[in-house]
Amino acid sequence: MLDIKEYIVNGKAFDGKYRLIRPLSTSGGTADVWLALDLNTVNNPDSVGDLRKLTDEQIEELGLIVAIKVYRPQNALDIEGEQRFREEYMIVFNCHHTNLIHPTHFSIFHEVPYLVLPYCKRGSAERYIGKLEDDEAKWKFASDVAGGLAYLHALEPPIIHQDIKPGNVLIDDSLNYSITDFGISAKSGGTSDHDTFEDEERSGTFAYMSPERYREDAEPSPAGDVWAYGAMLYEMITGAVPFGEQGGWAQVEDPTAMPQIPAEIPVDMQRLITACLDPDPEKRPTAEYLSRATAAHQYPLKPKKTGLIIGLSVLAALIIGVTLTWLLRSPEVEVQIVTEEAERRPPEEVYAEAMHLIDINDPDSLRAGLTMMDSLSATNYVPAIWEMAYTYGWFSDSVSVKRKRLLNIEMDNQFLPTDKDNSNKAMAYLVKIKEINDSSYADINAKAAFRFACYYVMPNNLYQKNFAEGKDFLLTARKWAVIAGNDSLLQIIDAGLATF
C-alpha cells in the first residue's frame, strides 16, 4: 500500500517524477493536494536536496512547481476502474478555457490515481470572502466563474462540477478566477452505462448543495451547479453562506426560504443571486446565460437593438405591410411560421425585433410585432408575456393607451378596455406570469401582481371588488418589488397597503 509519508521523510521521488514539498490541502474526502517540484524540469534531479529548507522562490529556481492531487490508498483502482479513469481524464484534458485550471498530467502509481495541476501561488477565492469591495470586483468574480462553468456545461457530455465553492476557485497568475477540481469524476451522469470513478469530494459541501440534491434519486445536473454558484457569490459578497451549513436543505424544509440580500449590493446582482437560488431547478438561469449577463453587468439581460436587427426589422415591417392582407386571411400559417422562428432563434433577438415593430407607431407593424410576441410568449419567455398583458390590459400610461388606440380597442374614461374579451386576454397573460413565477424577472412579477391588485381594488365596470384578493396581490407585488429594487413601485404599493 502506498505510504505517502516516506516520500516526504526520505526525499524519494513520487512516481519517479515529483518531489513532494508540503501539503496544500488534506481536508478533502478522498484525496490530498501536495505542492511538488517537477523533476522533469530540473537540470540535475540527483542534486536536489531537502526542499523543506528552501523557500518557494528558491525552489522555483530549480524547476517547475506544480500541485499534485493524490487519491488516498483506500481509493485504489482495479483494472476496469483504471480504464474508466483514463477515458474520463481524456475528456477533461481537452478542456481549455481561461477560467478553468485543468490537469496537465495524470497517472496511476501503486494502483492509486493522481493528477498534476498548475500551481496557483495566489491561492483560492477564500481569501477574498466578504472582501470584494467595489462593484467591478464583484462582477469580475461573477463573470469569471460563470464563464468557466458555462464552458463545462456546454461540453458533450456536459461536465457537472458538483462542488462549486470559493475553495475550488483559484486565482491564476493573470489574476483570473478559475475553477479547479472539476476533473475525473465530474462527467455528467446519465450518459454512461457504468458508474464512474467515485470521488466523495464530488458529493459536495452541504452549504453549497442545492435542495434537489437531497433527494434519494438525485443526479448531477447543471442546475445544481448554478445553485451552488449563487450561494458562493452570496458568500463572496456578504462574508456568509446564504443558508448556513444547512445549504439547500433549508429550502427543502421551507420552499419559500430566501436569504436577505444587503441593499448595497447592485440591484442586478441581487436579482441574479435570487434567480440562482430558486428552489425550483427548472427556473434557474443557465450558466451560459449567467456568463453573458455578468459580462454585461446586468440581470436579466436587456435586449439590444443592433443595427443589423433594426435593419432586418424595418425590412420585415415592409414585407409584412405588403403581405398583411394575405397573412390576415391565413392566421394559422402566420402563427406557425412565427412560432417556428421564435423557437429557432434566441428569444432575446426575437423579442428585440418584435419590440421594434411594435414601436414603429403603425397599426400593421404593431399587429405583426404582437404576433411575434405572442408566439414568443408560448415559449414562456416572460418579457414577451408581459408586453402582451401591457398592450391589452388596464394601463393608463401613454404607451399602452397608444397601442390600444392603434388596435381600435375601445376604452372607458379610466382607459380600461370596455370589451371584456380584451381585458380577459390581458388577465390570462398576467396569470401566466404568476404561474411561471420566474425569479429572473422579479420586476415583471412585481408589476404583474400589482396590476392584478388594481383589477380587484380599483372601481370598474367589468370586475367585482375583492379587497382580500387585492391585498394578497399587493403583498406579493411588494415582495417582488423589494427583490427587484423598484423603489417607485414600492412606494405606490405601500400607499395602497396603508388603505387596508
Side-chain angles (χ1 to χ4, degrees):
M1 180 177 289
L2 179 66
D3 183 3
I4 201 75
K5 292 181 181 178
E6 67 175 289
Y7 295 93
I8 297 294
V9 176
N10 299 327
K12 292 175 60 177
F14 182 84
D15 201 11
K17 304 172 186 175
Y18 306 97
R19 283 285 300 276
L20 304 183
I21 302 171
R22 66 175 182 272
L24 293 174
S25 173
T26 58
S27 59
T30 60
D32 300 322
V33 181
W34 292 82
L35 188 66
L37 174 65
D38 185 346
L39 296 177
N40 295 313
T41 65
V42 177
N43 290 330
N44 186 3
D46 294 333
S47 66
V48 176
D50 189 349
L51 297 178
R52 292 175 294 178
K53 298 179 180 179
L54 303 179
T55 64
D56 288 356
E57 290 74 16
Q58 291 172 322
I59 297 173
E60 279 186 307
E61 294 177 0
L62 298 175
L64 180 66
I65 296 180
V66 297
I68 300 182
K69 181 175 182 177
V70 183
Y71 290 82
R72 294 179 184 150
Q74 64 265 32
N75 297 295
L77 301 175
D78 56 20
I79 295 175
E80 184 182 357
E82 286 189 17
Q83 181 59 30
R84 293 201 300 269
F85 187 86
R86 295 176 194 277
E87 290 173 354
E88 295 183 17
Y89 171 77
M90 291 172 65
I91 295 174
V92 174
F93 183 77
N94 289 320
C95 294
H96 298 287
H97 191 276
T98 303
N99 303 114
L100 297 178
I101 301 291
H102 77 290
T104 58
H105 178 70
F106 90 103
S107 191
I108 298 169
F109 183 48
H110 289 304
E111 300 179 345
V112 172
Y114 70 89
L115 304 173
V116 181
L117 303 101
Y119 170 52
C120 295
K121 66 181 71 176
R122 300 178 188 276
S124 75
E126 287 180 317
R127 65 187 293 188
Y128 292 118
I129 291 176
K131 299 177 182 177
L132 297 177
E133 296 179 354
D134 58 79
D135 291 349
E136 188 60 38
K138 295 179 178 70
W139 285 115
K140 163 71 173 171
F141 177 83
S143 179
D144 281 3
V145 180
L149 203 55
Y151 178 91
L152 291 176
H153 290 180
L155 294 173
E156 186 56 47
I159 289 182
I160 315 301
H161 192 287
Q162 297 196 86
D163 199 16
I164 292 292
K165 61 183 178 182
N168 282 335
V169 176
L170 301 181
I171 305 163
D172 66 18
D173 291 340
S174 300
L175 300 180
N176 295 313
Y177 294 100
S178 300
I179 300 171
T180 189
D181 202 22
F182 61 87
I184 299 306
S185 64
K187 188 169 67 172
S188 174
T191 60
S192 175
D193 293 331
H194 54 257
D195 293 333
T196 56
F197 172 73
E198 289 294 335
D199 175 354
E200 290 175 7
E201 287 176 308
R202 296 273 167 235
S203 65
T205 307
F206 287 137
Y208 310 93
M209 284 178 63
S210 60
E212 67 271 14
R213 290 191 62 190
Y214 287 88
R215 296 198 308 259
E216 290 185 5
D217 60 344
E219 293 184 359
S221 73
D225 279 352
V226 168
W227 194 96
Y229 168 89
M232 176 183 67
L233 184 55
Y234 180 93
E235 179 187 18
M236 291 298 298
I237 295 172
T238 67
V241 286
F243 299 104
E245 293 307 310
Q246 272 193 306
W249 180 253
Q251 290 182 319
V252 174
E253 293 185 318
D254 178 9
T256 66
M258 192 62 68
Q260 192 72 29
I261 304 178
E264 60 268 20
I265 296 177
V267 172
D268 284 272
M269 190 163 284
Q270 292 183 44
R271 292 196 286 259
L272 184 149
I273 292 172
T274 300
C276 291
L277 295 178
D278 195 300
D280 185 349
E282 296 294 326
K283 294 178 180 177
R284 294 172 206 151
T286 63
E288 189 274 334
Y289 188 86
L290 289 172
S291 179
R292 290 189 290 120
T294 51
H297 294 196
Q298 58 183 229
Y299 191 91
L301 277 169
K302 300 173 179 64
K304 293 184 178 180
K305 298 178 182 179
T306 64
L308 176 61
I309 291 177
I310 292 175
L312 291 174
S313 300
V314 172
L315 178 61
L318 292 174
I319 295 172
I320 289 168
V322 172
T323 60
L324 183 65
T325 303
W326 179 84
L327 288 174
L328 290 175
R329 288 200 305 267
S330 311
E332 294 181 2
V333 175
E334 178 188 9
V335 171
Q336 180 181 355
I337 292 172
V338 177
T339 301
E340 289 176 355
E341 183 176 2
E343 292 176 348
R344 185 171 64 249
R345 295 165 56 196
E348 296 85 1
E349 184 179 322
V350 178
Y351 177 84
E353 186 171 335
M355 282 301 300
H356 178 73
L357 291 171
I358 289 171
D359 291 340
I360 287 177
N361 197 27
D362 170 77
D364 292 345
S365 298
L366 174 59
R367 290 189 179 92
L370 290 174
T371 298
M372 292 179 67
M373 204 68 82
D374 193 30
S375 297
L376 191 57
S377 71
T379 68
N380 286 348
Y381 187 62
V382 174
I385 302 171
W386 169 252
E387 287 301 325
M388 296 300 291
Y390 177 69
T391 299
Y392 293 100
W394 188 8
F395 294 86
S396 58
D397 62 284
S398 60
V399 175
S400 179
V401 170
K402 181 180 71 173
R403 291 183 190 178
K404 284 190 275 285
R405 284 174 175 164
L406 286 171
L407 295 171
N408 292 321
I409 295 175
E410 293 185 4
M411 297 169 280
D412 63 17
N413 58 3
Q414 298 182 83
F415 303 104
L416 171 69
T418 55
D419 182 349
K420 197 167 185 177
D421 287 343
N422 285 316
S423 289
N424 287 343
K425 182 189 296 186
M427 292 281 274
Y429 286 118
L430 294 173
V431 168
K432 191 170 185 178
I433 293 172
K434 178 177 179 292
E435 290 175 346
I436 293 173
N437 197 39
D438 190 340
S439 58
S440 304
Y441 301 102
D443 192 57
I444 292 178
N445 292 342
K447 291 187 289 188
F450 176 75
R451 188 50 46 183
F452 254 125
C454 292
Y455 279 97
Y456 283 115
V457 175
M458 294 176 62
N460 64 85
N461 297 322
L462 294 181
Y463 301 97
Q464 292 184 345
K465 289 185 179 180
N466 189 327
F467 288 107
E469 288 283 350
K471 184 176 182 180
D472 286 344
F473 277 115
L474 281 178
L475 290 172
T476 300
R478 192 183 195 286
K479 179 192 74 173
W480 286 116
V482 169
I483 293 173
N486 191 332
D487 293 334
S488 58
L489 180 58
L490 197 58
Q491 291 178 359
I492 297 172
I493 293 170
D494 285 343
L497 287 171
T499 63
F500 285 94

